[in-house]
Amino acid sequence: MAEIKLSESRDLTRIERIGAHSHIRGLGLDSALEARVVSEGMVGQTKARKAAGIILQMIKQGKIAGRAILLAGQPGTGKTAIAMGMAKSLGEETPFAMMAGSELFSLEMSKTEALKQAFRKAIGVRIKEETEIIEGEVVEIQIDRPAVTGVASKTGKLTLKSTDMETVYDLGAKMIEALGKQKIQSGDVIAIDKASGKITKLGRSFARSRDYDAMGPQTKFVQCPEGELQKRKEIVHCVTLHEIDVINSRTQGFLALFTGDTGEIRAEVREQIDTKVAEWREEGKAEIVPGVLFIDEVHMLDIECFSFLNRALENDMAPILVVATNRGITTIRGTNYKSPHGIPIDLLDRLLIISTEPYTKEEIRKILDIRSQEEDVEMSEDAKVLLTRIGVEASLRYAIHLITAAALACQKRKGKIVEIEDISRVYQLFLDVKRSSQYLTEYQSQYMFSETPLKEGDDEEETTAMHS
């Protein structure tokens, strides 16, 4: 009997790119806001994570607005990871806008306008709306097609039931087309919006779960709706103030949200929107959700941007500002003055500063274990020990980059588990910062525009070489 081979099909929608922080799922805190040693992709930095957890709790309770937090620490100590953990812990309904300090200088608009847009991206508006819907389980769909095509449109009947009642609805051509597009059949539980006629498929009824022997993983089973078929339902839309600004300011309306061509938005438009949102809040139709604006590499901002941030944080509808930097005492951009982290003292005074500490050897080992698992790379114990040593002596980022490179070297020799030889091979192929700097120091005379001071005897040789 011939063996049947099932062809493997890859679901393209489920393929995800593995990023630098794709393993972060949250801050890894328990109910008492104590940091677990290893949890939700986070390792170490217990003090910083606990501090971020307190800030997170205040954000969720709505007790903090217009506050600013600074994540300060050496490169590769998990500042961006903590910010990503905060974003994941907040959930989808709380807006989280992310940008790098240098982005402001490459946009086709003024720096303050770009910052204003970023601020409004981080402020959400939860708009409540009541709508009438018909919700029930499909019993039968009858479609009458005309005998002669093109003479009359299709008509039909839709029978819906709930646990208490059953009703037959007449269908027009558009509704029949919508049912066909959604592939609705008997046994499906659907919701129809009476105002727009939009059909939403909620899933299959539990009563019809045994209709087929095999079903796909995306098949969702739901209970048959209870009570009346026609119901009034409160729908909540979550949008950001920036999205409302764009829709009201551009001629192409909401399409500008997809093209990204938002341009500068006039102050009058924003004032009108703020007034309207304030009215909705008074009427109970909407509520403001202050989100988080995260600015990485904040030392790249100049004195104008810092002055704007000082004023913007005093606004009634300001989000929580989280900034990160890896600089020590350095020059404030746009001035000749030096300041801690390259941030003016008056703005530093407004910041709650969370400092991150370098990872220990054990923590580096745990992070490399998590990254190996995330990148689907099997590694021997000896290889992990060597990689941890590289992480301690060179840098954690360099060690993380070697994981995938070592996996490819392992594939090349047709191996299944990454061994010490694979790590050694890629370590020789790719230099870290220390070895690269050492190489430059040794051969600096052979590079163009080298600024390393020459020894006294080398000056004449250099001049002779240039003349020849």
Side-chain angles (χ1 to χ4, degrees):
M1 189 178 168
E3 191 183 328
I4 298 167
K5 285 188 179 178
L6 293 171
S7 62
E8 287 185 17
S9 62
R10 298 182 75 187
D11 188 358
L12 290 174
T13 55
R14 299 178 74 182
I15 293 172
E16 288 182 11
R17 284 195 66 202
I18 296 167
H21 299 102
S22 55
H23 62 286
I24 305 292
R25 311 273 184 267
L27 282 172
L29 304 171
D30 59 20
S31 55
L33 294 181
E34 287 295 323
R36 299 187 194 100
V37 181
V38 181
S39 179
E40 296 181 324
M42 295 292 277
V43 177
Q45 303 297 355
T46 50
K47 283 184 185 174
R49 279 158 59 201
K50 276 168 75 174
I54 292 165
I55 298 294
L56 204 68
Q57 204 67 23
M58 290 165 81
I59 295 167
K60 284 179 179 174
Q61 290 172 5
K63 289 182 179 177
I64 180 172
R67 301 285 180 89
I69 293 99
L70 169 66
L71 296 168
Q74 300 98 312
T77 52
K79 297 180 294 298
T80 311
I82 289 170
M84 292 298 288
M86 286 176 78
K88 292 280 169 72
S89 302
L90 280 170
E92 288 181 11
E93 283 201 359
T94 308
F96 187 93
M98 200 170 181
M99 68 185 301
S102 52
E103 273 181 48
L104 298 177
F105 301 95
S106 57
L107 296 169
E108 292 177 357
M109 60 178 87
S110 67
K111 292 172 284 190
T112 49
E113 173 63 23
L115 275 172
K116 205 173 281 181
Q117 287 191 15
F119 261 71
R120 289 177 78 87
K121 277 178 191 171
I123 302 164
V125 183
R126 204 177 277 136
I127 303 164
K128 296 168 189 169
E129 182 187 26
E130 269 204 353
T131 181
E132 277 198 11
I133 61 161
I134 300 166
E135 194 176 76
E137 183 189 326
V138 178
V139 179
E140 191 185 7
I141 303 171
Q142 288 181 336
I143 297 169
D144 303 322
R145 290 176 177 81
V148 184
T149 53
V151 177
S153 58
K154 293 180 198 172
T155 55
K157 284 184 169 60
L158 171 69
T159 311
L160 288 177
K161 71 165 185 179
S162 68
T163 51
D164 297 355
M165 61 188 291
E166 188 173 308
T167 312
V168 180
Y169 294 96
D170 290 325
L171 297 175
K174 282 190 177 178
M175 287 295 283
I176 291 168
E177 193 182 328
L179 287 167
K181 275 185 184 173
Q182 294 271 1
K183 295 179 181 172
I184 305 291
Q185 55 184 346
S186 59
D188 288 341
V189 177
I190 62 167
I192 304 168
D193 188 341
K194 281 188 81 176
S196 62
K198 186 190 172 191
I199 298 171
T200 311
K201 188 174 177 178
L202 303 175
R204 292 279 297 167
S205 172
F206 274 115
R208 308 293 286 269
S209 60
R210 296 183 180 275
D211 283 11
Y212 304 102
D213 293 334
M215 272 173 280
Q218 67 275 10
T219 308
K220 184 182 164 188
F221 289 102
V222 291
Q223 293 284 0
C224 180
E226 295 177 359
E228 295 276 329
L229 280 166
Q230 290 196 36
K231 296 168 188 167
R232 288 188 75 81
K233 210 169 191 180
E234 192 177 77
I235 295 173
V236 178
H237 304 283
C238 292
V239 289
T240 65
L241 279 178
H242 176 66
E243 286 167 352
I244 303 171
D245 291 347
V246 172
I247 290 164
N248 287 283
S249 70
R250 302 291 292 180
T251 48
Q252 67 262 47
F254 72 95
L255 288 174
L257 291 171
F258 302 104
T259 58
D261 178 28
T262 54
E264 299 216 3
I265 296 162
R266 296 194 316 276
E268 305 87 66
V269 173
R270 288 202 175 109
E271 281 171 21
Q272 287 170 5
I273 288 163
D274 289 349
T275 310
K276 193 69 185 169
V277 169
E279 279 176 27
W280 288 345
R281 281 175 76 185
E282 283 175 18
E283 291 167 13
K285 286 183 182 176
E287 58 180 288
I288 296 290
V289 185
V292 177
L293 171 61
F294 175 59
I295 304 176
D296 208 353
E297 309 292 336
V298 74
H299 53 263
M300 292 301 292
L301 301 184
D302 61 11
I303 192 71
E304 292 171 30
C305 298
F306 289 128
S307 301
F308 175 82
L309 288 178
N310 260 330
R311 177 70 191 88
L313 286 170
E314 291 172 359
N315 199 338
D316 294 341
M317 291 204 292
I320 291 86
L321 178 67
V322 180
V323 296
T325 180
N326 55 20
R327 298 295 161 97
I329 295 168
T330 185
T331 309
I332 302 165
R333 195 168 175 181
T335 70
N336 297 322
Y337 298 102
K338 288 197 171 184
S339 174
H341 312 297
I343 301 169
I345 299 293
D346 58 340
L347 182 58
L348 268 177
D349 198 33
R350 292 173 187 265
L351 300 173
L352 290 168
I353 301 171
I354 300 172
S355 63
T356 54
E357 297 162 357
Y359 290 109
T360 62
K361 189 178 179 179
E362 289 75 26
E363 286 168 355
I364 287 173
R365 169 66 190 264
K366 285 169 186 168
I367 292 166
L368 291 171
D369 281 346
I370 291 167
R371 287 302 302 178
S372 300
Q373 198 176 346
E374 181 74 12
E375 295 179 27
D376 205 16
V377 174
E378 281 191 62
M379 203 175 283
S380 71
E381 196 62 30
D382 292 342
K384 282 180 182 175
V385 169
L386 177 59
L387 201 60
T388 307
R389 192 177 157 193
I390 292 168
V392 173
E393 290 178 7
S395 75
L396 174 61
R397 281 181 180 149
Y398 175 68
I400 289 170
H401 290 323
L402 290 186
I403 294 171
T404 311
L408 290 170
C410 176
Q411 277 180 21
K412 186 84 174 160
R413 64 173 180 84
K414 293 185 171 61
K416 288 188 178 176
I417 297 172
V418 174
E419 300 287 351
I420 287 183
E421 59 185 283
D422 302 313
I423 303 285
S424 303
R425 181 175 168 78
V426 293
Y427 182 73
Q428 288 161 6
L429 288 172
F430 305 105
L431 301 181
D432 58 274
V433 177
K434 284 180 186 172
R435 286 184 294 153
S436 181
S437 305
Q438 190 181 340
Y439 181 85
L440 285 176
T441 310
E442 286 175 20
Y443 299 99
Q444 53 88 19
S445 59
Q446 295 174 25
Y447 282 82
M448 290 180 69
F449 310 119
S450 178
E451 291 184 7
T452 307
L454 296 166
K455 293 171 189 174
E456 286 181 8
D458 294 346
D459 216 4
E460 289 175 20
E461 289 174 25
E462 189 76 18
T463 314
T464 316
M466 285 175 74
H467 283 302
S468 59

